[in-house]
C-alpha cells in the first residue's frame, strides 16, 4: 500500500465546496470517482482544506492510499484525462504512509482575496473577483490589516457556527496591492477559522471604503464579537493559493 499526495487546483464556481455532501456535487466527490476509476479501488481522498462553495484553489492538497502500480508522478497525468476541465492535478507524488495533510504543526497556508474595483462590473471577472463599485483607499486597508498580523484570538472574524475550542491563530503577513482595477489581498498563516479570510476581507473592504477607520480593526479584535466585524465577503473572490509543509 502506498500513500499518494496530490496538489489540486480548481475553479470552485460550479461546486458546493470541497467536502462530500448530499445536496450537490463537490470537488472531493469528483476526485474520489476519478481516482477510484483509475486504480480500480474504492478511494476516498483526505483533503487539507475544506474550501467553501464557490471558493477556488491553486494549491489544495489531498492524499489517498492505493495498491496501484502506476508510478506516483504519472498519476497526475492519468487523472487529468479523467477530470473535468475545472479541476486539475498539478502534481502527484508518494509520501510516507503516516503522512497526513491536516493534522500537523508545520502547515503554512496562503490565501488571496480578489476585488474588482471599478464603476461597472467586468463580466470576465465575475467568477474570480468580488465587485466593489465605490473607490477604495489601499493605504487605509494596509493600515487596518497590520493590526491582524501576529498571534490573536480571531473569534470576531469567524462564522458563529465555527465548531472549535481554540480560536487563536497566527497570521504571518498580509499584503495588499492593486493591479489596474483589481485589488488583491494576500494573507498567510498557520491556519484559518471558518470564513475567517472572507470576514477579514469584508472588514478591510469597509476600511477601504471609509466606513471604518483602520484603528477599528484593532477594536474588533479586542471585542471578540462577530457582530462588530464586516460582512462575509463573497466566495468567488477567494483562492487557496498554496499550502506549505515544514518538510
Amino acid at each position: 500500500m502506498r500513500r499518494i499526495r496530490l496538489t489540486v487546483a480548481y475553479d470552485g464556481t460550479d461546486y458546493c465546496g470541497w467536502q462530500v455532501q448530499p445536496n450537490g456535487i463537490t470537488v472531493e466527490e469528483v476526485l474520489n470517482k476519478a481516482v477510484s476509476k483509475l486504480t480500480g479501488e474504492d478511494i476516498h481522498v483526505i483533503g487539507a482544506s475544506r474550501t467553501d462553495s464557490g471558493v477556488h484553489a491553486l494549491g489544495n492538497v489531498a492524499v489517498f492510499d492505493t495498491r496501484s502500480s502506476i508510478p506516483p508522478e504519472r498519476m497526475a497525468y492519468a487523472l487529468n484525462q479523467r477530470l473535468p476541465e475545472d479541476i486539475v492535478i498539478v502534481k502527484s507524488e508518494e509520501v510516507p504512509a503516516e503522512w497526513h495533510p491536516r493534522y500537523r504543526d508545520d502547515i503554512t497556508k496562503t490565501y488571496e482575496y480578489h476585488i474588482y474595483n471599478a464603476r461597472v462590473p467586468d463580466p470576465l471577472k465575475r467568477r474570480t473577483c468580488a465587485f466593489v463599485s465605490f473607490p477604495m483607499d489601499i493605504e487605509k486597508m494596509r493600515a487596518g490589516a497590520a493590526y491582524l498580523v501576529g498571534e490573536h484570538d480571531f473569534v470576531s472574524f469567524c462564522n458563529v457556527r465555527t465548531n472549535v475550542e481554540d480560536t487563536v491563530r497566527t497570521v504571518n503577513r498580509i499584503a495588499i496591492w492593486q493591479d489596474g482595477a483589481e485589488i488583491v489581498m494576500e494573507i498567510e498563516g498557520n491556519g484559518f477559522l471558518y470564513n475567517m479570510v472572507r470576514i477579514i476581507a469584508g472588514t478591510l473592504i469597509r476600511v477601504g471604503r471609509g466606513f471604518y477607520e483602520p484603528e477599528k480593526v484593532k477594536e474588533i479584535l479586542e471585542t471578540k464579537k462577530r457582530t462588530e466585524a464586516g460582512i462575509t465577503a463573497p466566495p468567488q473572490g477567494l483562492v487557496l493559493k498554496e499550502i506549505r509543509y515544514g518538510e
Side-chain angles (χ1 to χ4, degrees):
M1 187 74 75
R2 296 182 302 170
R3 176 155 287 196
I4 306 300
R5 177 169 65 188
L6 305 175
T7 302
V8 191
Y10 48 87
D11 176 342
T13 305
D14 298 326
Y15 297 96
C16 295
W18 170 272
Q19 190 173 12
V20 171
Q21 52 185 285
N23 65 340
I25 190 168
T26 66
V27 177
E28 184 181 39
E29 176 187 350
V30 173
L31 270 181
N32 286 343
K33 289 178 179 178
V35 179
S36 296
K37 187 174 181 179
L38 175 65
T39 64
E41 303 162 298
D42 183 20
I43 298 293
H44 299 272
V45 302
I46 302 170
S49 185
R50 298 169 180 173
T51 53
D52 292 338
S53 177
V55 173
H56 317 296
L58 292 173
N60 206 346
V61 173
V63 298
F64 65 92
D65 297 322
T66 181
R67 292 184 172 84
S68 171
S69 61
I70 300 172
E73 67 279 2
R74 295 291 296 169
M75 285 198 172
Y77 176 81
L79 285 170
N80 285 336
Q81 308 307 304
R82 293 163 171 79
L83 287 167
E85 291 181 339
D86 53 6
I87 301 177
V88 174
I89 306 302
V90 178
K91 185 179 182 182
S92 57
E93 57 197 318
E94 186 170 357
V95 291
E98 69 278 4
W99 195 93
H100 198 283
R102 251 193 342 263
Y103 304 127
R104 308 173 63 89
D105 296 324
D106 61 349
I107 296 178
T108 301
K109 293 183 178 182
T110 304
Y111 282 91
E112 284 184 355
Y113 195 86
H114 294 252
I115 303 159
Y116 187 72
N117 186 213
R119 187 175 58 83
V120 296
D122 181 342
L124 301 183
K125 300 282 189 181
R126 73 190 189 282
R127 295 166 71 99
T128 57
C129 292
F131 172 62
V132 177
S133 62
F134 298 95
M136 305 267 283
D137 188 323
I138 301 295
E139 291 305 319
K140 284 190 173 183
M141 293 175 71
R142 288 171 176 157
Y147 291 107
L148 301 172
V149 176
E151 184 181 82
H152 303 286
D153 185 343
F154 282 96
V155 68
S156 297
F157 292 90
C158 69
N159 189 291
V160 292
R161 298 195 304 274
T162 301
N163 188 25
V164 295
E165 293 182 6
D166 184 9
T167 51
V168 174
R169 296 292 185 273
T170 299
V171 171
N172 299 333
R173 63 180 182 88
I174 302 179
I176 302 173
W177 68 90
Q178 187 158 6
D179 182 8
E182 191 167 332
I183 297 170
V184 183
M185 180 190 78
E186 185 175 83
I187 180 169
E188 176 189 286
N190 67 351
F192 296 91
L193 301 164
Y194 182 33
N195 285 163
M196 177 174 157
V197 177
R198 288 168 59 192
I199 295 169
I200 288 174
T203 303
L204 293 179
I205 287 171
R206 292 188 69 81
V207 172
R209 288 188 58 188
F211 291 115
Y212 295 162
E213 288 301 314
E215 295 76 19
K216 175 70 173 177
V217 178
K218 182 175 184 290
E219 295 174 15
I220 293 169
L221 269 176
E222 293 171 347
T223 62
K224 296 182 172 57
K225 293 180 180 179
R226 169 65 187 94
T227 53
E228 294 297 310
I231 64 166
T232 304
Q236 67 267 25
L238 185 60
V239 181
L240 173 56
K241 183 179 179 181
E242 183 182 31
I243 301 177
R244 298 197 308 274
Y245 298 93
E247 76 250 12

